[in-house]
Amino acid sequence: MPKAPELLAPAGSLEMMRTAFDFGADAIYAGQPRYSLRVRNNAFGTIAALKEGIDEAHARGKQFFVVSNIIPHNAKLTTYLADMAPVIALKPDALIMSDPGLIDMVRETWPEQAVHLSVQSNTVNWAAVRFWKKLGLTRIILSRELSLEEVAEIRQQCPDIELEVFVHGALCIAYSGRCLLSGYFNHRDPNQGSCTNSCRWDYKVSTSDGQPAQQPVQMVRNDQEILLEEKMRPGELMPIEEDEHGTYIMNSKDLRAIEHVHRLVELGVDSLKIEGRTKSPYYVARTCQSYRQAIDDAVAGRPLDPKLLRELDGLANRGYTDGFLQRHHDVEYQNYLRGHSESDRSLYVGDAVRFDVARGLMEIEVKNHFAIGDRLESVHPAGNHSWQLTRMENAAGKPVDVAPGSGYRVWVELPERCRGAFIARYV
């Protein structure tokens, strides 16, 4: 029986961490705002919050990795060791780092501290993996730009170091996130942790006189269709499709590689990683639940359950791709037709917060609209439950037909065992 890889989940808050563990994650990663690449929507910005998270993870037999993968300028070097000393004292299971200078400082000051190499370091070959191992790193997070065959070769050449691979989450049009768009447009540098996802804005393409633009990128019209032709690829015309929201020529689809979990398990990859520290607990619940089952099935020799792909379709996404794990044409990577987040299967609509034994009803804290007649699903660590909504009451016990949206609380028929579940509406 093959070894089960670690399921590693994102955590931007204690609630996300707890949800990840409840739904099957073995470890989580979180960062301090000043030294990780997620300075926004990060509740682990204080030593007290980090201590609570690390202590709770260890009490549950789980692991807690602290992200410290910023690409620092000189000013941050002067404060780094002093700021990290109280973090190291909390005994995180590893630091996730990318900058060689900071790594060297940590290895000199705290040689016993485990360090994982961040995906920001763009490790794409086995020689680089061996180099970092010589410096004392215990795990390499491989670049997203690798194929399964390349991962297999690295595993074969480097059998004595842990390897981690991203399997789900947002993809970037730049090389493993090294992008300058956000810094150029509004002076918020992605490599300093404050990316505004400028690649996901809408861009309108036009010319003042209707003539083709100048090289290196030429714009031509063909039956009212706007096409791009890149200088080094003459004759390869790429359409720009535009709707009322704009065009999304730089907007990558999201990564979903659950269909490759079996192969990654066979290769002996040590950790499968989900991206999304700024997303919701519902996102963490869905992804951890799906990838937990996929890993367990792969280890047991069972085939992938196709319903897991449909479960992940229920998350807001920009269309899915398996990235570079299998090679496709460029059009497979870029999201031309779906520029805004949309949900193909289900929508997160509420939380099951309290069960009233006398009424036999569950209180739902509403997040999005749902109504009588909708088909709902409760998503819970003990198992999911689907039902048709035929009865709903307000706090006064009066029947209501609609839960309008955030800020409302309603009562529905749902078993007590579903308390704490996320509620989704099939669409």
Side-chain angles (χ1 to χ4, degrees):
M1 180 177 293
K3 179 188 69 174
E6 166 192 276
L7 178 58
L8 178 55
S13 67
L14 285 166
E15 182 184 5
M16 283 184 69
M17 181 194 78
R18 292 162 183 156
T19 301
F21 291 152
D22 287 345
F23 282 86
D26 301 299
I28 63 95
Y29 60 101
Q32 285 185 288
R34 183 168 170 79
Y35 300 109
S36 79
L37 294 187
R38 290 292 184 276
V39 300
R40 299 177 296 149
N41 302 327
N42 184 356
F44 289 104
T46 66
I47 293 299
L50 274 177
K51 176 176 172 50
E52 185 175 0
I54 292 171
D55 288 349
E56 187 172 323
H58 290 170
R60 296 183 64 162
K62 307 289 187 176
Q63 292 191 301
F64 191 113
F65 304 145
V66 173
V67 183
S68 187
N69 64 345
I70 197 171
I71 301 175
H73 291 258
N74 289 332
K76 288 187 177 177
L77 295 182
T78 60
T79 59
Y80 184 73
L81 291 179
D83 288 346
M84 289 305 295
V87 176
I88 301 297
L90 300 177
K91 300 188 182 304
D93 296 283
L95 299 182
I96 299 175
M97 306 183 69
S98 63
D99 182 73
L102 293 187
I103 290 172
D104 188 51
M105 293 167 69
V106 166
R107 296 292 302 142
E108 285 185 349
T109 310
W110 301 287
E112 73 287 351
Q113 175 62 58
V115 176
H116 296 173
L117 188 69
S118 171
V119 72
Q120 289 294 120
S121 293
N122 308 137
T123 305
V124 296
N125 62 73
W126 55 262
V129 173
R130 286 185 177 180
F131 167 81
W132 289 109
K133 183 179 183 298
K134 290 177 182 177
L135 296 186
L137 275 66
T138 58
R139 178 184 294 185
I140 306 300
I141 306 171
L142 295 176
S143 177
R144 291 182 178 94
E145 288 73 29
L146 292 175
S147 68
L148 287 167
E149 290 74 18
E150 290 172 308
V151 173
E153 184 176 1
I154 291 173
R155 175 78 290 170
Q156 184 178 16
Q157 294 287 341
C158 306
D160 52 355
I161 188 170
E162 294 182 3
L163 300 179
E164 181 175 305
V165 172
F166 274 93
V167 291
H168 198 92
L171 290 174
C172 183
I173 62 160
Y175 208 100
S176 280
R178 294 196 174 197
C179 176
L180 297 174
L181 277 179
S182 177
Y184 177 80
F185 283 124
N186 51 11
H187 309 293
R188 293 179 62 170
D189 188 352
N191 296 311
Q192 298 300 309
S194 55
C195 182
T196 57
N197 300 113
S198 302
C199 63
R200 299 196 171 204
W201 297 352
D202 57 336
Y203 295 87
K204 291 180 170 54
V205 180
S206 63
T207 59
S208 58
D209 55 5
Q211 297 300 311
Q214 300 298 313
Q215 299 283 7
V217 176
Q218 182 183 24
M219 187 172 67
V220 298
R221 286 190 177 275
N222 179 13
D223 295 330
Q224 302 302 311
E225 186 178 29
I226 300 175
L227 304 170
L228 288 180
E229 183 180 25
E230 197 244 341
K231 180 179 180 180
M232 302 305 294
R233 294 172 176 80
E236 190 173 316
L237 302 179
M238 298 172 285
I240 300 177
E241 300 189 20
E242 186 172 350
D243 60 18
E244 67 274 15
H245 302 292
T247 186
Y248 304 90
I249 59 176
M250 293 184 291
N251 183 13
S252 174
K253 292 181 179 179
D254 290 337
L255 174 66
R256 181 187 63 191
I258 197 166
E259 62 268 39
H260 298 303
V261 166
H262 275 69
R263 179 61 176 148
L264 292 167
V265 169
E266 289 175 357
L267 293 179
V269 171
D270 298 277
S271 179
L272 303 185
K273 187 171 191 173
I274 298 168
E275 183 276 339
R277 275 183 282 159
T278 62
K279 296 190 177 179
S280 69
Y282 174 68
Y283 168 88
V284 170
R286 278 290 197 192
T287 52
C288 286
Q289 187 179 63
S290 297
Y291 282 91
R292 178 76 273 155
Q293 181 180 335
I295 291 171
D296 292 345
D297 286 347
V299 171
R302 296 186 293 266
L304 175 70
D305 188 342
K307 80 175 179 63
L308 298 180
L309 282 82
R310 298 195 300 272
E311 297 290 348
L312 295 172
D313 281 339
L315 294 169
N317 65 82
R318 296 172 181 269
Y320 282 126
T321 175
D322 60 354
F324 293 87
L325 291 172
Q326 284 188 327
R327 300 301 187 185
H328 297 294
H329 297 296
D330 289 348
V331 70
E332 292 296 317
Y333 299 127
Q334 296 307 118
N335 185 358
Y336 296 111
L337 297 178
R338 296 168 58 182
H340 60 283
S341 294
E342 59 183 343
S343 175
D344 290 323
R345 181 175 179 271
S346 61
L347 174 70
Y348 171 45
V349 295
D351 297 327
V353 295
R354 184 162 59 96
F355 185 77
D356 188 321
V357 177
R359 297 167 67 185
L361 297 176
M362 184 76 72
E363 184 181 23
I364 305 298
E365 183 180 341
V366 181
K367 301 296 184 181
N368 284 294
H369 175 281
F370 63 95
I372 293 292
D374 286 340
R375 186 163 167 253
L376 302 180
E377 180 184 23
S378 66
V379 182
H380 192 275
N384 298 352
H385 168 72
S386 298
W387 81 103
Q388 194 86 19
L389 185 63
T390 58
R391 177 188 175 191
M392 184 162 55
E393 297 179 0
N394 61 19
K398 295 182 178 180
V400 293
D401 293 330
V402 176
S406 181
Y408 287 83
R409 288 178 179 254
V410 295
W411 296 80
V412 304
E413 291 182 319
L414 192 62
E416 184 176 6
R417 64 178 174 79
C418 295
R419 185 173 59 86
F422 298 97
I423 307 300
R425 173 173 61 86
Y426 289 90
V427 293

